[in-house]
Amino acid sequence: MKPDIQNIIKFIIHSLPEDSIVKRNLENINSGKWRSRAYYQFIDSAHPNTPGSKWIFKENIILEHPQSGTIVLDILEKDQPGGIEFYELI
């Protein structure tokens, strides 16, 4: 069963530092869609890490959710959330 993404987003927002740009971007993000059983994507990853792509990877934020376990937030350039991977569902 897929996690409740809205509750996961709230958890992530609550877990990030108050002055985090990622937090502000996540609070204002448009909805995404499930790309697999274990990955919820906000930004299209077509042609990743190439000039002109919307998906230019910067870093990961790894959090432990009490019910869903390890979640990995992909952060793109300009501190945009790219997607959420649910490690326990891989």
Side-chain angles (χ1 to χ4, degrees):
M1 187 165 98
K2 293 178 183 171
D4 178 344
I5 199 65
Q6 294 306 318
N7 284 334
I8 297 295
I9 291 171
K10 288 177 187 175
F11 169 79
I12 295 170
I13 289 170
H14 179 72
S15 300
L16 295 173
E18 198 59 42
D19 61 346
S20 168
I21 295 171
V22 173
K23 178 178 185 164
R24 283 183 289 193
N25 288 339
L26 194 55
E27 289 171 335
N28 297 309
I29 199 149
N30 293 325
S31 62
K33 57 183 155 183
W34 288 97
R35 287 292 182 185
S36 72
R37 178 175 178 248
Y39 196 78
Y40 188 84
Q41 188 174 46
F42 299 109
I43 305 292
D44 183 14
S45 60
H47 311 292
N49 302 315
T50 59
S53 174
K54 293 180 181 180
W55 188 279
I56 305 293
F57 180 79
K58 179 180 175 184
E59 65 183 336
N60 292 123
I61 295 175
I62 301 171
L63 299 167
E64 291 296 324
H65 187 272
Q67 286 81 39
S68 296
T70 303
I71 55 176
V72 179
L73 181 62
D74 289 333
I75 305 300
L76 309 179
E77 68 178 353
K78 299 180 185 174
D79 292 324
Q80 290 295 324
I84 304 169
E85 184 172 39
F86 295 85
Y87 186 77
E88 311 300 328
L89 298 178
I90 296 175

